[in-house]
């Protein structure tokens, strides 16, 4: 521990502890204070990891998707006490048709289908990185893209995964979706490494195409429900970012159609599945939480409902306090949705007053992880809107 003879200065270990509990935006401003603070906040890997663990930041990132009106897409950052709409992110999505494809450790992966540009963005510290162009045959011969983001802890490297399949509408011999799903030749995985700043093709076999929007990265493993030519409902596929290995995980037999009725997340530090089932005899939706204890070994830890007065669907886990985020739909005209936060312990609902359409919920923590290419120029501020000009 380093101390100073000046009584106005704090010991170094106490100072670091204070900094670890400050928001990322404040720490970014402090990098201009002196070289040692810059090196600590921007370049100390241990400090960056500890800050993300100790500083919860926002609890939920709410992505509002309007499939038939892209101009109304927006992101809302929700904390315990208020709701905040980031004007810069809203501007980018509204004016440039940017889609939120993935997230990991406070980094968002954005994609613009018109230009084929992929972007890594850390909104907390306002840093961006435009990815190199995808492999050349993507825009001409392939579609059904699926971009995901994961973290390799051993190499301290972030990797973007791009799954694709052959465009059946342009290839005359492949006219049915089932043919695509059953043909191993058509599935492809390309991997981008942030450390090497380059793409490479995955040489192994891609067993099944990731099907549906429910794809999560937790503790260095990407999970998603997968579709095959024989069964589309009973497989959870995992991909280990560090060793780049696929693994199949069986889903409990009692869970029917997880693509439509389930969400993946983390609950009590376990990979968890939030499943909803409509109880016909009770005219209400019942929910179950299953946690993954080991490969294909699930344990149902909680059941709540049915709720007969609310039309509810699973949205996300609030990983900070183990609450459950649900989407409440109304049958009134015009059709609207509103957010509901359910506490299984108190069995109470909280209404944050957020209304919209087509919500996706993403647990979010602020992060100091830099996505800028080296050498870094701290004085440079990139406006995400300029990336699409």
């Amino acid at each position: 521990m380093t101390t100073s003879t000046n009584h106005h200065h704090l010991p170094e270990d106490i100072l670091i502890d204070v900094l670890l509990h400050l928001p990322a935006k404040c720490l970014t401003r402090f990098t201009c204070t002196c070289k040692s603070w810059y090196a600590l906040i921007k370049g100390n890997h241990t400090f960056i990891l500890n800050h993300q663990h100790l500083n919860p930041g926002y609890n939920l990132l709410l992505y509002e998707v309007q499939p038939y009106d892209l101009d109304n897409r927006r992101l809302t950052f929700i904390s315990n006490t208020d709701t905040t709409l980031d004007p810069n992110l809203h501007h980018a999505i509204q004016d440039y048709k940017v889609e939120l494809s993935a997230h990991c450790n406070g980094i968002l992966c954005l994609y613009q289908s018109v230009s084929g540009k992929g972007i890594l963005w850390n909104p907390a510290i306002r840093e961006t990185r435009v990815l190199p162009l995808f492999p050349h045959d993507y825009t001409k011969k392939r579609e059904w893209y699926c971009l995901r983001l994961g973290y390799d802890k051993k190499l301290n490297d972030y990797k973007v995964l791009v799954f694709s399949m052959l465009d059946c509408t342009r290839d005359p011999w492949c006219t049915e979706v089932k043919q695509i799903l059953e043909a191993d030749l058509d599935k492809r995985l390309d991997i981008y490494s942030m450390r090497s700043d380059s793409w490479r093709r995955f040489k192994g076999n891609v067993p099944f195409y990731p099907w549906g929007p429910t794809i999560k990265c937790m503790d260095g493993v990407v999970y998603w429900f997968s579709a095959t030519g024989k069964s589309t409902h009973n497989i959870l596929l995992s991909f280990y970012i560090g060793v780049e290995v696929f693994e199949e995980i069986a889903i409990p037999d009692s869970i029917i159609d997880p693509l439509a009725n389930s969400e993946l997340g983390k609950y009590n530090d376990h990979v968890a599945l939030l499943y909803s089932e409509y109880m016909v005899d009770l005219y209400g939706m019942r929910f179950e939480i299953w946690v993954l204890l080991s490969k294909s070994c699930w344990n149902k830890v909680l059941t709540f409902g049915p709720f007969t007065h609310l039309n509810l669907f699973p949205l996300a886990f609030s990983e900070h306090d183990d609450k459950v985020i649900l989407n409440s739909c109304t049958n009134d005209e015009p059709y609207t949705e509103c957010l509901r936060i359910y506490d299984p312990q108190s069995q109470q609902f909280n209404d944050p007053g957020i209304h919209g359409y087509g919500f996706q919920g993403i647990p979010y923590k602020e992060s100091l992880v830099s996505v800028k290419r080296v050498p870094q120029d701290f004085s440079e501020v990139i406006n995400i809107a300029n990336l699409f000009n």
Side-chain angles (χ1 to χ4, degrees):
M1 180 178 70
T2 302
T3 59
S4 173
T5 56
N6 191 327
H7 67 277
H8 293 292
H9 291 176
L10 292 173
E12 182 178 345
D13 55 344
I14 296 179
L15 176 61
I16 291 177
D17 186 64
V18 172
L19 294 176
L20 283 172
H21 290 81
L22 294 178
K25 292 181 180 180
C26 293
L27 293 177
T28 300
R29 292 196 295 267
F30 292 163
T31 56
C32 298
T33 304
C34 60
K35 291 182 179 180
S36 61
W37 281 30
Y38 181 94
L40 175 69
I41 297 170
K42 303 289 286 187
N44 189 306
H45 178 58
T46 301
F47 180 86
I48 293 173
L49 290 179
N50 289 339
H51 176 267
Q52 187 175 30
H53 174 71
L54 294 174
N55 194 314
Y58 298 104
N59 293 116
L60 186 70
L61 173 62
L62 192 65
Y63 183 40
E64 184 179 348
V65 183
Q66 295 267 14
Y68 302 108
D69 188 5
L70 296 180
D71 289 343
N72 287 332
R73 293 192 176 198
R74 66 177 182 178
L75 286 180
T76 303
F77 295 89
I78 303 174
S79 69
N80 282 329
T81 57
D82 61 3
T83 61
T84 304
L85 176 65
D86 189 312
N88 296 313
L89 185 53
H90 180 62
H91 176 72
I93 291 178
Q94 183 182 47
D95 294 343
Y96 298 97
K97 311 300 186 292
V98 180
E99 301 175 8
L100 174 60
S101 298
H103 66 98
C104 181
N105 293 348
I107 299 175
L108 307 182
C109 182
L110 306 177
Y111 176 65
Q112 186 186 47
S113 58
V114 176
S115 65
K117 290 183 178 179
I119 301 163
L120 296 180
W121 184 34
N122 186 333
I125 59 176
R126 301 178 63 83
E127 288 188 359
T128 56
R129 175 189 292 214
V130 180
L131 303 184
L133 293 178
F134 296 156
H136 68 279
D137 66 334
Y138 265 53
T139 57
K140 295 182 179 180
K141 299 180 181 179
R142 308 185 76 85
E143 68 174 16
W144 291 17
Y145 304 100
C146 179
L147 278 72
R148 294 300 175 246
L149 178 64
Y151 176 61
D152 184 344
K153 183 177 180 180
K154 184 177 181 180
L155 297 178
N156 187 28
D157 188 17
Y158 286 86
K159 298 178 180 179
V160 177
L161 313 178
V162 180
F163 296 89
S164 70
M165 287 198 298
L166 194 66
D167 181 357
C168 62
T169 63
R170 300 176 188 174
D171 197 314
W173 69 266
C174 194
T175 58
E176 296 183 5
V177 173
K178 183 177 180 180
Q179 287 181 280
I180 300 177
L181 297 176
E182 291 180 334
D184 291 336
L185 295 176
D186 297 327
K187 295 181 288 291
R188 171 169 171 167
L189 169 61
D190 289 272
I191 302 174
Y192 168 79
S193 165
M194 198 167 78
R195 285 190 71 170
S196 65
D197 195 22
S198 62
W199 290 96
R200 59 183 172 82
R201 183 169 181 175
F202 178 68
K203 300 300 183 181
N205 177 48
V206 181
F208 307 118
Y209 185 76
W211 201 256
T214 306
I215 303 180
K216 308 292 182 184
C217 181
M218 292 170 281
D219 301 324
V221 185
V222 179
Y223 298 89
W224 65 86
F225 297 117
S226 185
T228 71
K230 299 179 181 179
S231 172
T232 60
H233 304 310
N234 299 319
I235 294 177
L236 182 67
L237 200 63
S238 62
F239 183 76
Y240 289 78
I241 297 294
V243 294
E244 298 184 356
V245 172
F246 286 95
E247 183 178 80
E248 297 179 30
I249 301 172
I251 294 175
D253 295 334
S254 62
I255 294 180
I256 302 173
D257 195 4
L259 286 177
N261 302 317
S262 302
E263 282 291 334
L264 290 171
K266 182 180 287 188
Y267 188 81
N268 286 334
D269 293 324
H270 286 85
V271 174
L273 190 152
L274 175 60
Y275 174 66
S276 63
E277 180 182 14
Y278 183 74
M279 309 298 293
V280 178
D281 54 339
L282 298 175
Y283 301 100
M285 196 71 75
R286 184 186 69 181
F287 294 86
E288 299 174 351
I289 296 180
W290 295 74
V291 297
L292 183 63
L293 301 180
S294 59
K295 180 181 178 181
S296 301
C297 179
W298 296 85
N299 181 35
K300 183 166 64 174
V301 296
L302 188 64
T303 300
F304 54 96
F307 303 104
T308 58
H309 61 292
L310 294 172
N311 192 14
L312 298 169
F313 297 93
L315 191 63
F317 292 92
S318 177
E319 298 179 3
H320 177 62
D321 50 17
D322 288 333
K323 291 184 174 63
V324 179
I325 315 299
L326 303 174
N327 192 8
S328 178
C329 308
T330 65
N331 296 322
D332 301 331
E333 295 291 341
Y335 176 83
T336 58
E337 299 175 2
C338 63
L339 207 65
R340 301 276 184 172
I341 302 177
Y342 181 75
D343 186 349
Q345 301 299 323
S346 65
Q347 300 183 8
Q348 298 293 320
F349 282 99
N350 177 33
D351 183 1
I354 299 176
H355 302 264
Y357 178 79
F359 289 135
Q360 293 180 25
I362 300 171
Y364 176 82
K365 281 189 176 183
E366 286 187 342
S367 168
L368 291 169
V369 176
S370 176
V371 297
K372 295 177 70 174
R373 291 179 172 86
V374 292
Q376 297 182 9
D377 180 3
F378 179 74
S379 63
E380 179 184 7
V381 178
I382 299 178
N383 187 341
I384 190 170
N386 294 333
L387 297 173
F388 303 101
N389 291 336

